[in-house]
Amino acid sequence: MFNLKALQRNKTVRYGVPMLLLVVGGSFGLREFTQIRYDAQRIRKKLDPSLEAKVNIERQPAILEDEYEKMKDANLEEWKNIRGPRPWEDSREYQEQQRTRQGKTD
């Protein structure tokens, strides 16, 4: 019926089937390896329950109205945008220039 030599000469059987097995088998293998990674992270992240309760209490969401009150009290009229030194500039020399400019404008 089927000749073994004919199957060995067939390009689909010779190249396609191993490639298909490699792709499908690789995806299953990769899933197993990534699952090990996530399991290890989950084990490492476990905290003591009393410590976890303290962390959750301290992490209260910021209320928008409170943040607005903080910004309302800030004095933005005297704010100046000062450029930092470029990588090729000497930072100490540039800071001295900025200080002298601020002294002249104030």
Side-chain angles (χ1 to χ4, degrees):
M1 293 200 189
F2 285 107
N3 193 354
L4 190 58
K5 281 246 192 232
L7 281 176
Q8 287 178 342
R9 282 189 232 133
N10 190 348
K11 287 186 179 183
T12 303
V13 173
R14 193 169 185 182
Y15 299 111
V17 172
M19 183 65 180
L20 187 64
L21 288 173
L22 183 68
V23 170
V24 173
S27 68
F28 284 110
L30 195 60
R31 183 185 64 171
E32 294 300 320
F33 282 116
T34 55
Q35 188 62 42
I36 292 169
R37 174 181 158 199
Y38 292 127
D39 289 343
Q41 285 179 356
R42 190 176 314 127
I43 290 170
R44 208 176 313 145
K45 285 185 180 178
K46 286 188 178 177
L47 292 175
D48 183 36
S50 62
L51 180 62
E52 189 173 356
K54 285 183 182 179
V55 169
N56 288 337
I57 290 172
E58 292 174 3
R59 251 194 224 165
Q60 294 178 354
I63 299 172
L64 191 57
E65 287 79 17
D66 294 339
E67 295 298 320
Y68 174 72
E69 292 299 323
K70 287 179 190 176
M71 290 302 296
K72 191 166 72 170
D73 295 337
N75 187 5
L76 298 177
E77 297 299 322
E78 295 178 12
W79 180 80
K80 292 181 183 176
N81 188 15
I82 300 174
R83 178 181 72 82
R86 301 287 194 254
W88 57 86
E89 295 175 342
D90 183 27
S91 64
R92 293 188 188 274
E93 181 181 319
Y94 188 76
Q95 289 172 0
E96 287 298 322
Q97 287 177 356
Q98 290 296 325
R99 287 188 188 116
T100 57
R101 285 185 190 166
Q102 284 180 350
K104 290 179 184 177
T105 57
D106 287 341

